[in-house]
Amino acid sequence: MAFLEFKDISKGYPGVQALSNVSFSVEKGAVHGLMGENGAGKSTLIRLLSGDQSADTGTISIDGVTQTYKSVRDAFASGVIVIHQELQLVPELTVAENLWLGRFPSSAGVINRRSLSDSVALKLRDIGIDIDPDAKVSSLSIGERQMVEIAKAVILDARVIALDEPTSSLSSRESEVLFALIEKLKAKGTVILYVSHRLDEIFRLCDSLTVLRDGKLAAHHPDIAETNRDQIIAEMVGREISNIWGWRPREFGPVRLEVSDLSGPNLRQPISFSVRQGEILGFFGLIGAGRSEMARLLFGADRREGGRVVVDGVTVTANSPGASIRAGIVLCPEDRKHDGIVQGRSIEENITISSRRHFSPFGILSPKKEASVADDFIARLRVRTPSRLQDIINLSGGNQQKVILGRWLSEQGVKVLVIDEPTRGIDIGAKAEIYEILYGLAAEGMAIIVISSELPEVMGISDRIMVMCQGHVAADVPRPDFHERLILTAALPDRTAAAATL
């Protein structure tokens, strides 16, 4: 019997119809997959379920009762918790405070913080999450923050939990903890709405599946065992994608970037490497390996303690993002929300914010030129938006990533592109588009560094892979020697000696 039901749901925004007459249902104690390209309507549906917004038409029912949410609080009261891909924690509060926010245990109005911490420690231990309840959320890694959000839903004993790309920031060990929790929740009768672009997870966890495309119901599979990977991809994108990576050999030019003895916080040993014109160099490692830290040091976002960075034979003397940009090094960061996009600003502003000096003669901004540049990159990168004036926060993750790429490409003289987790939370169709953009830039002679926690991705698109482990380079692997088992062996902390076999 249906426990969660969406019936004839429609929702529109100025210039775009996000959902059109979407209907499907989920049984009690089932994990239901929700898939679709970025912009297909998944996030809109989740926002309606969470009470953050209201549908234009249609109803949402839980256990046979139609829900009339006026706020997130109403949805929460009815037993619905949504864990968004963009996390909703308060950074300056502790883990325990975030988990008990709005429900602090108190006596005569005084919060008992010892009781608060102890109760959270016990609950976290019960569900297999090893995080200090007294740690400030701002001190946690992105993966640890994600686990705190997931713990909140479990601890609050929700009837319906929606997980939006829950493993995008998790290590393999953390993902296994999550999967075990999902099995426990199923046994209790909890409905799990599982939004993910990772087909292996969908087939492992889900009992049923709904696919959205362009805001409409593309397919509904009551029994996921009766479908397959190729069919789902075709339903998502409206066409078959036989080779998502699309790698092809290309000619490399001379060395474009040379890094010697780069050192800084969280790097156990100095790092040295080079990238040639037209080469895509992948960096792979487990969470905590130092990949993102290396990228931030290279870009100057974090201060280097030592080392030398040379672009086209010229040493980058200053240690700052501005100096790196002037030298031709740019960074698309791992955390798009906090370090990439400028929230509350338009797509146009996000594209042109770092390059306005190029079209501001005598220090006077040319709105016409700014609009032309923004429109050019929106078209070139196929950003799906009704207008360049749209707030960037309303775009899907894939389109936000394209805007960040557009920002750097609008700079003049970019020689080295560093892109950290290029397709995190991005659908299959958009992934293929991002890869094509990277191949195009490489063909033009740009040196590209791709950092990814997804081994199939980094193997699929790279010409060479640097494997990192606990803050140092464990292996440098040319494409002919790519092998999943050997690369993973080099990445494991207790197996670094095996890197020599690579």
Side-chain angles (χ1 to χ4, degrees):
M1 179 180 175
F3 186 81
L4 171 66
E5 184 174 17
F6 298 90
K7 188 173 182 181
D8 298 326
I9 299 290
S10 294
K11 178 67 177 179
Y13 302 99
V16 61
Q17 186 65 32
L19 292 170
S20 299
N21 300 313
V22 172
S23 299
F24 66 91
S25 61
V26 187
E27 295 182 357
K28 187 173 184 178
V31 179
H32 185 83
L34 184 62
M35 300 195 75
E37 290 193 274
N38 289 108
K42 306 184 303 299
S43 295
T44 299
L45 194 70
I46 294 298
R47 284 195 288 268
L48 300 181
L49 176 64
S50 73
D52 181 51
Q53 297 180 10
S54 300
D56 296 334
T57 61
T59 59
I60 299 174
S61 299
I62 297 177
D63 201 14
V65 179
T66 299
Q67 305 298 307
T68 54
Y69 304 143
K70 295 182 180 178
S71 67
V72 173
R73 186 180 294 272
D74 289 343
F76 183 83
S78 70
V80 175
I81 293 180
V82 174
I83 300 175
H84 298 277
Q85 185 180 352
E86 306 296 353
L87 304 180
Q88 309 294 310
L89 300 172
V90 182
E92 292 312 308
L93 295 182
T94 67
V95 170
E97 288 167 340
N98 269 275
L99 292 178
W100 281 100
L101 196 61
R103 305 172 296 110
F104 291 132
S106 62
S107 176
V110 178
I111 297 173
N112 186 336
R113 295 192 177 277
R114 188 69 267 153
S115 173
L116 177 75
S117 178
D118 289 345
S119 63
V120 168
L122 181 62
K123 290 178 182 294
L124 290 175
R125 189 161 56 248
D126 286 345
I127 59 180
I129 295 177
D130 183 20
I131 295 176
D132 181 4
D134 295 320
K136 276 192 174 183
V137 164
S138 59
S139 71
L140 303 181
S141 69
I142 294 176
E144 288 172 328
R145 296 181 197 187
Q146 184 83 320
M147 293 304 290
V148 172
E149 283 272 31
I150 292 165
K152 184 192 300 183
V154 177
I155 289 171
L156 292 175
D157 203 23
R159 295 195 296 169
V160 176
I161 300 175
L163 299 169
D164 189 0
E165 296 290 347
T167 62
S168 62
S169 302
L170 301 185
S171 67
S172 57
R173 185 190 65 79
E174 289 168 333
S175 295
E176 290 300 325
V177 172
L178 171 62
F179 299 158
L181 285 175
I182 287 174
E183 291 300 323
K184 292 178 182 178
L185 291 168
K186 279 182 62 176
K188 290 173 57 178
T190 308
V191 168
I192 308 288
L193 196 60
Y194 196 89
V195 184
S196 178
H197 295 115
R198 300 183 176 184
L199 282 164
D200 55 339
E201 293 178 8
I202 291 291
F203 280 104
R204 173 176 175 174
L205 298 172
C206 296
D207 305 293
S208 51
L209 174 69
T210 292
V211 180
L212 299 179
R213 186 172 71 243
D214 298 328
K216 299 176 182 178
L217 186 72
H220 179 70
H221 301 283
D223 183 355
I224 199 168
E226 296 180 357
T227 186
N228 59 63
R229 179 188 180 93
D230 291 341
Q231 181 180 354
I232 292 171
I233 292 174
E235 291 165 349
M236 286 174 58
V237 302
R239 63 191 189 280
E240 291 188 5
I241 298 180
S242 56
N243 180 6
I244 186 175
W245 314 118
W247 180 89
R248 56 267 193 183
R250 72 191 76 82
E251 294 292 327
F252 302 147
V255 171
R256 171 133 272 180
L257 171 71
E258 187 166 4
V259 177
S260 304
D261 298 323
L262 180 68
S263 62
N266 301 311
L267 292 185
R268 197 174 73 185
Q269 297 176 5
I271 290 177
S272 300
F273 62 91
S274 63
V275 194
R276 298 167 66 182
Q277 292 180 14
E279 184 180 21
I280 298 178
L281 175 63
F283 269 81
F284 175 76
L286 306 179
I287 289 178
R291 301 160 305 163
S292 298
E293 290 81 359
M294 179 280 300
R296 291 178 61 85
L297 289 170
L298 175 61
F299 182 60
D302 293 333
R303 184 155 293 277
R304 298 192 295 270
E305 296 174 352
R308 186 165 177 255
V309 176
V310 178
V311 178
D312 284 350
V314 179
T315 299
V316 184
T317 55
N319 187 3
S320 69
S324 296
I325 292 169
R326 289 190 293 274
I329 303 173
V330 296
L331 169 66
C332 294
E334 175 188 22
D335 192 340
R336 281 194 298 269
K337 179 181 178 182
H338 293 101
D339 300 330
I341 66 172
V342 182
Q343 297 186 54
R345 297 298 182 94
S346 68
I347 296 168
E348 175 182 282
E349 291 173 294
N350 269 272
I351 289 176
T352 63
I353 194 167
S354 70
S355 59
R356 286 175 171 172
R357 67 188 184 282
H358 298 312
F359 41 86
S360 300
F362 309 108
I364 301 173
L365 178 66
S366 169
K368 184 176 180 180
K369 179 63 174 176
E370 183 177 29
S372 175
V373 169
D375 283 337
D376 178 46
F377 282 102
I378 287 170
R380 177 179 171 184
L381 301 177
R382 291 187 284 183
V383 178
R384 295 182 178 88
T385 176
S387 167
R388 68 176 182 276
L389 302 179
Q390 177 91 300
D391 190 325
I392 193 170
I393 202 66
N394 293 326
L395 295 186
S396 64
N399 285 304
Q400 288 180 0
Q401 186 72 295
K402 291 178 184 178
V403 169
I404 297 170
L405 276 169
R407 174 189 304 162
W408 294 129
L409 297 182
S410 70
E411 275 284 345
Q412 297 177 9
V414 174
K415 300 173 181 178
V416 179
L417 170 65
V418 184
I419 185 164
D420 195 351
E421 299 291 359
T423 63
R424 172 173 286 167
I426 295 177
D427 65 75
I428 291 172
K431 282 185 177 184
E433 291 179 352
I434 295 290
Y435 301 148
E436 281 301 315
I437 292 169
L438 296 181
Y439 295 142
L441 295 173
E444 294 170 6
M446 193 175 292
I448 298 176
I449 295 175
V450 173
I451 301 167
S452 178
S453 57
E454 296 188 33
L455 183 52
E457 175 173 77
V458 79
M459 289 177 62
I461 66 174
S462 301
D463 302 304
R464 185 163 53 95
I465 296 174
M466 306 290 288
V467 184
M468 292 194 67
C469 176
Q470 294 185 322
H472 75 285
V473 173
D476 182 349
V477 190
R479 189 172 183 90
D481 295 338
F482 285 4
H483 190 287
E484 184 172 325
R485 181 180 62 82
L486 294 178
I487 291 173
L488 279 172
T489 298
L492 291 174
D494 57 344
R495 298 288 184 85
T496 52
T501 63
L502 295 175

